[in-house]
Amino acid sequence: MTKEEFQKLTQNVVLLDGATGSNLMASGMPRGICTEAWIMEHKEILQNLQKAYAEAGSQIVYAPTFGGNRYSLGLHGLQDKLVEMNHALVNISREAVGHKVYVAGDITTTGKMMEPAGDLTYEMAYETYCEQIKVLEDAGVDLIIAETMINIEETLAALDAAATVSSLPVMCTMTVEADGSIFSGGNAVEAAIALEGAGAVAVGINCSVGPDQLVSVVRNIKENVSIPVIAKPNAGMPTIDDQGNAIYSMDAKNFAEHMKVLIENGASVVGGCCGTTPEFIHEISRILGR
């Protein structure tokens, strides 16, 4: 996908997929393991999920490469498998949805704190993202999504890396509190302005809280950027049951009604994060009249 093709696609509201991790755990994935390795061993579970998203109306699904960077894989001693694993994970998604749906190469934070709070330098982050993004483009993804980001500088490093090694469009979403503040400092509007300036084709939020708490955040981002605004929130605020499982407060219809409000306030690239399922995407599609 070229940046021009992305601009054409986003002339209308674009429907993303919903959650991956919470659905995999509901399908039996244990906690504390390497998600990417587990998916490679249980690819039919991920493929059935992504096929269901495509059938529900998703126009873009996220390849399960979220933790496919050198640092995250290194926690499991798998850093030397980075190229092999990212290729395999992209292929799993492509087998599931073919070319009827776009496949985004999914990248996220390295898991290390940026200076001065930690020891991750801009150069280290930049090199890490160069490595994974180049592999993802070689594997055949249509675009890149940097999601669940918690540091503006680290996200800028990802954008700079993408501009160096790839010509693909890059979307960026930060994780924020209900007031728009970002874990490591700054806020969603400051991030959106900086990321647009650095070349992102769409900016916004994912994960965080439910759509009911993000209306002003989405509106403020929309008022300060000229590119599409992304909203991919959780299915409300979770409670934790006796087994340690997160139980989310919104059902699909309630979630979609709140997503309609976010669309009315400027979000035009929408989907769901933790706690959402293909039913949630179907309900948004229905509200959009598709």
Side-chain angles (χ1 to χ4, degrees):
M1 175 189 277
T2 64
K3 292 174 182 177
E4 291 73 25
E5 287 169 337
F6 182 85
Q7 288 175 341
K8 185 175 180 181
L9 178 69
T10 53
Q11 288 173 0
N12 298 303
V13 174
V14 174
L15 195 47
L16 303 170
D17 59 8
T20 297
S22 57
N23 287 299
L24 295 181
M25 285 190 281
S27 297
M29 184 179 75
R31 289 186 178 83
I33 59 148
C34 178
T35 300
E36 292 71 27
W38 189 88
I39 289 169
M40 289 171 65
E41 295 170 0
H42 303 83
K43 74 173 192 176
E44 69 286 347
I45 294 175
L46 188 281
Q47 289 182 325
N48 288 339
L49 177 64
Q50 293 196 321
K51 286 175 183 175
Y53 280 134
E55 291 168 3
S58 295
Q59 295 162 272
I60 299 172
V61 299
Y62 290 9
T65 54
F66 182 80
N69 66 70
R70 174 162 296 278
Y71 291 112
S72 295
L73 292 177
L75 296 175
H76 306 280
L78 294 169
Q79 64 272 23
D80 292 339
K81 301 281 189 182
L82 185 150
V83 174
E84 172 190 334
M85 290 181 70
N86 278 273
H87 271 268
L89 293 163
V90 170
N91 287 340
I92 287 170
S93 287
R94 186 64 76 189
E95 284 178 11
V97 301
H99 291 275
K100 296 177 292 184
V101 173
Y102 292 109
V103 174
D106 192 359
I107 64 174
T108 191
T109 172
T110 59
K112 296 175 73 68
M113 296 292 288
M114 291 283 290
E115 290 182 331
D119 60 0
L120 183 71
T121 65
Y122 169 88
E123 290 75 16
M124 291 163 64
Y126 170 82
E127 290 170 4
T128 300
Y129 290 122
C130 278
E131 180 178 43
Q132 190 183 9
I133 292 169
K134 182 68 169 67
V135 172
L136 289 171
E137 182 167 30
D138 289 346
V141 300
D142 298 302
L143 68 162
I144 301 292
I145 170 67
E147 67 158 338
T148 325
M149 302 301 289
I150 59 172
N151 185 290
I152 297 173
E153 288 299 317
E154 190 179 25
T155 315
L156 289 170
L159 276 171
D160 289 347
T164 301
V165 301
S166 171
S167 60
L168 295 175
V170 184
M171 304 190 298
C172 296
T173 53
M174 308 293 296
T175 289
V176 302
E177 301 292 340
D179 63 359
S181 61
I182 296 170
F183 171 74
S184 65
N187 60 61
V189 173
E190 292 170 359
I193 293 168
L195 298 173
E196 179 181 22
V201 296
V203 291
I205 55 90
N206 82 286
C207 206
S208 317
V209 292
D212 53 323
Q213 295 180 276
L214 291 170
V215 178
S216 63
V217 175
V218 165
R219 187 189 308 123
N220 288 339
I221 294 173
K222 178 63 178 176
E223 289 172 353
N224 283 278
V225 299
S226 60
I227 54 178
V229 176
I230 306 166
K232 205 173 193 279
N234 291 342
M237 293 297 288
T239 55
I240 306 301
D241 68 13
D242 295 340
Q243 286 75 44
N245 300 309
I247 308 298
Y248 289 88
S249 60
M250 287 186 179
D251 62 21
K253 287 189 177 180
N254 189 224
F255 181 84
E257 288 166 1
H258 286 291
M259 290 303 295
K260 183 173 184 285
V261 176
L262 292 189
I263 292 167
E264 291 167 350
N265 279 272
S268 59
V269 181
V270 297
C273 205
C274 303
T276 63
T277 67
E279 183 185 0
F280 284 65
I281 301 305
H282 174 76
E283 285 296 322
I284 300 173
S285 183
R286 184 184 62 80
I287 275 179
L288 291 172
R290 296 180 180 174

